[in-house]
């Protein structure tokens, strides 16, 4: 069965960087795009961007350009998202989600990684 | 950027009620719309894609309709396990989510 396993809860200091992971199993990793979504506590969902694992092509929501960087390691079926220059506004749950290329809806989601930015 | 507006933001209904949730896009997105259900403390779950296609494993009491700018998610007979927040998403250009409709039991 399709599974997306995300890295654990993070508590980091303002100004630091962080790399989150999302390990895929149960399907061919290079057949689907991997998407990233942010959800602040009690808030809605924000699309961050996507990466195509077969060629590394990325696209980002303008708001997250310079903040988030998506990469993949196809040898381990893992997608990564690096968040830079963290502030309290980056405190949120971050989800990875799978999307078919033909239709960009997100059919499977990881459980999320909670990130808290605090001194 | 395409904006998605959901209404109402909060909906109270009784078990067995027919429930309708609305989603409006700021421009024509054809049928590039999905609906997700998010229960407290959980990741979102895909319910409907391409405006009216039911995702595998989702109960048939859920249905979607609409095209262009106006879309609807209907629950034909509300069940206690349907208490959740529901989000619409356009994927015609990039991706944008609505702010959500919180569905509670009356």
């Amino acid at each position: 069965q399709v599974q997306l396993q995300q890295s654990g809860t993070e508590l980091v200091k303002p100004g630091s960087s962080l790399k989150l992971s999302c390990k895929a199993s149960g399907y061919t990793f290079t057949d689907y795009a991997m998407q990233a979504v942010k959800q602040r506590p009690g808030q809605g969902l924000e699309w961050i961007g996507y990466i195509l694992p077969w060629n590394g092509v990325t696209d980002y929501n303008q708001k997250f350009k310079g903040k988030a960087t998506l990469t993949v390691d196809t040898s381990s079926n893992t997608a990564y998202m690096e968040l830079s220059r963290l502030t309290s506004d980056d405190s949120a749950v971050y989800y990875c989600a799978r999307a078919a290329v033909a239709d960009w809806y997100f059919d499977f989601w990881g459980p999320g990684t909670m990130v808290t930015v605090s001194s | 950027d395409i904006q998605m507006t959901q209404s109402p933001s909060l909906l109270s209904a009784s078990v067995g009620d027919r429930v309708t949730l609305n989603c409006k896009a700021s421009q024509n997105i054809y049928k590039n719309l999905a609906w997700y259900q998010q229960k407290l403390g959980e990741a979102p779950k895909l319910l409907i894609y391409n405006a009216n296609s039911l995702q595998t494993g989702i109960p048939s009491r859920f249905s979607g309709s609409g095209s262009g700018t106006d879309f609807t998610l209907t629950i034909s007979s509300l069940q206690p396990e349907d208490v959740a927040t529901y989000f619409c998403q356009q994927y015609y250009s990039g991706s944008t989510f609505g702010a959500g409709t919180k569905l509670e039991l009356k």
Side-chain angles (χ1 to χ4, degrees), chain A residues 2-3 28 34 38-39 51 63 82 103:
Chain A
V2 175
Q3 289 192 340
T28 302
M34 191 66 78
K38 176 183 180 181
Q39 186 171 37
I51 186 166
K63 178 180 177 180
E82 183 164 15
D103 294 297

Side-chain angles (χ1 to χ4, degrees), chain A residues 39 45 47 95 105-106 109-110, chain B residues 36 38 42-44 49 89 97:
Chain A
Q39 186 171 37
L45 302 164
W47 175 66
Y95 294 101
Y105 53 86
F106 304 171
W109 294 62
Chain B
Y36 300 87
Q38 187 177 34
E42 297 183 3
Y49 61 94
Q89 176 214 16
F97 293 88

Side-chain angles (χ1 to χ4, degrees), chain A residues 2-109:
Chain A
V2 175
Q3 289 192 340
L4 299 175
Q5 183 178 346
Q6 296 190 242
S7 46
T9 299
E10 299 275 3
L11 173 61
V12 295
K13 295 192 183 305
S16 64
S17 296
L18 182 62
K19 196 169 188 177
L20 309 180
S21 67
C22 172
K23 183 173 175 59
S25 61
Y27 72 98
T28 302
F29 182 61
T30 49
D31 280 354
Y32 292 82
M34 191 66 78
Q35 306 270 359
V37 176
K38 176 183 180 181
Q39 186 171 37
R40 299 202 68 190
Q43 303 296 310
L45 302 164
E46 284 187 281
W47 175 66
I48 295 171
Y50 70 77
I51 186 166
L52 305 180
W54 58 91
N55 60 13
V57 168
T58 55
D59 189 23
Y60 297 93
N61 181 338
Q62 184 67 32
K63 178 180 177 180
F64 291 95
K65 287 183 179 178
K67 169 61 66 177
T69 302
L70 300 173
T71 57
V72 293
D73 177 357
T74 54
S75 68
S76 63
N77 292 346
T78 303
Y80 298 93
M81 178 170 65
E82 183 164 15
L83 299 170
S84 62
R85 300 182 304 278
L86 291 164
T87 72
S88 57
D89 287 343
D90 298 316
S91 295
V93 176
Y94 291 87
Y95 294 101
C96 60
R98 189 185 82 162
V101 176
D103 294 297
W104 286 107
Y105 53 86
F106 304 171
D107 63 350
F108 284 94
W109 294 62

